[in-house]
Amino acid sequence: MRKPIIAGNWKMNKTPSEAKALVEALAPLVADAQCDVVVCTPAVNFAAVSEAIKGTNIKLGAQNMHWKESGAYTGELSAAMLKECGVEYVILGHSERRQYFGETDATVNLRTLAAVKAGLTPIICVGEKKEEREAGYTNALVAYQTLIALSGLTAEQVAKVVIAYEPVWAIGTGLTATDEQANETIGVIREAVRSAYGDAADEVRIQYGGSMNPKNCKGLMAQPQIDGGLIGGASLKAEDFSKVVRFDA
Ligand code: 13P
């Protein structure tokens, strides 16, 4: 019922020429994909990537945006700027933004509202740290992060956003949540959405992210709650990313 969505988060990798080469290599490998395919690239690559994805099934994503429409916010980018560059998706609240750049649940909410208002699809990241999982707070924490991020949206709008469950301890570490752990926590997120937005919970797509790769993607994607993946390291090579996109091939 929910169409899977596999997105690459390139993080701070690839120059425009490298980005062009990666997307040109990727396009033929994912042309028959059954899922939505997104590449979230650094903003300096928007022009090169939007040109390279013309006529393909690959969509362009950004890694962050500001919530104001314009103004004195040196270094920031607005939703309108992203839109005009061909961006359709935007990652919000990634744990690296929370850890290194002071992102909070409240600012994730402001960005989410601005993105939806502008017609962008947010990919909202939530997830617990290792010590929070060990202390037994995972379920309460991810439910809270999710509901704060979505606060102020209508159920109709919530149905169209994408949420990424990314346990912080699994990002870039080679440690993946087990299929069952990921499925269970994503189920908790979906029930939190249901508590506030009813049946929109059955439509909202929830990805897993954290060391997802060609080897483990099939098992994760076979889980009933998991609707896709947000892929870091394995999205930087066309071959690897295409294998995740074609998880059931
Ligand atoms: P890795 O796939 O490199 O663990 O990164 C996951 C991630 O943070 C995607 O947003």
Side-chain angles (χ1 to χ4, degrees):
M1 185 175 87
R2 296 182 294 265
K3 188 177 185 192
I5 174 167
I6 304 285
N9 175 8
W10 294 2
K11 308 192 179 184
M12 195 174 74
N13 293 290
K14 305 292 178 186
T15 64
S17 60
E18 291 167 346
K20 178 172 187 280
L22 174 52
V23 172
E24 284 175 357
L26 181 65
L29 301 178
V30 300
D32 62 348
Q34 300 300 304
C35 61
D36 288 335
V37 184
V38 184
V39 291
C40 300
T41 173
V44 292
N45 299 334
F46 290 162
V49 172
S50 68
E51 184 62 29
I53 62 176
K54 273 194 188 137
T56 77
N57 55 335
I58 301 172
K59 306 289 189 192
L60 179 59
Q63 298 176 9
N64 189 24
M65 55 160 261
H66 200 269
W67 56 90
K68 295 281 191 179
E69 286 178 10
S70 63
Y73 302 100
T74 302
E76 294 295 319
L77 300 173
S78 71
M81 292 171 186
L82 269 46
K83 288 270 296 187
E84 198 168 320
C85 291
V87 170
E88 294 181 52
Y89 293 83
V90 57
I91 297 171
L92 297 176
H94 191 278
S95 65
E96 288 150 17
R97 302 280 338 156
R98 295 176 192 258
Q99 183 178 350
Y100 304 126
F101 303 102
E103 185 80 83
T104 65
D105 293 318
T107 53
V108 175
N109 176 237
L110 291 171
R111 292 178 214 276
T112 300
L113 293 172
V116 170
K117 187 174 170 208
L120 292 163
T121 300
I123 300 176
I124 301 161
C125 300
V126 300
E128 82 288 1
K129 300 193 186 91
K130 184 164 172 281
E131 58 273 23
E132 291 163 341
R133 177 164 281 269
E134 286 168 356
Y137 296 151
T138 299
N139 293 358
L141 186 86
V142 296
Y144 176 88
Q145 288 177 329
T146 301
L147 292 177
I148 298 285
L150 300 177
S151 177
L153 295 181
T154 65
E156 200 180 13
Q157 290 169 325
V158 167
K160 295 195 192 100
V161 308
V162 177
I163 298 170
Y165 167 55
E166 298 208 309
V168 179
W169 48 270
I171 295 177
T173 56
L175 292 172
T176 326
T178 63
D179 299 347
E180 293 73 23
Q181 273 174 331
N183 188 63
E184 186 189 335
T185 308
I186 289 177
V188 168
I189 293 169
R190 198 177 301 286
E191 290 317 302
V193 173
R194 192 181 311 283
S195 72
Y197 302 98
D199 291 346
D202 295 321
E203 286 179 63
V204 67
R205 293 184 292 178
I206 311 181
Q207 301 172 312
Y208 168 77
S211 299
M212 193 162 162
N213 61 42
K215 288 211 176 77
N216 59 27
C217 60
K218 192 169 182 178
L220 286 160
M221 290 301 294
Q223 296 292 322
Q225 294 289 347
I226 303 181
D227 304 320
L230 185 55
I231 321 299
S235 72
L236 297 173
K237 291 195 181 129
E239 185 105 349
D240 286 352
F241 188 58
S242 72
K243 285 183 184 155
V244 180
V245 166
R246 302 166 80 248
F247 53 88
D248 54 358

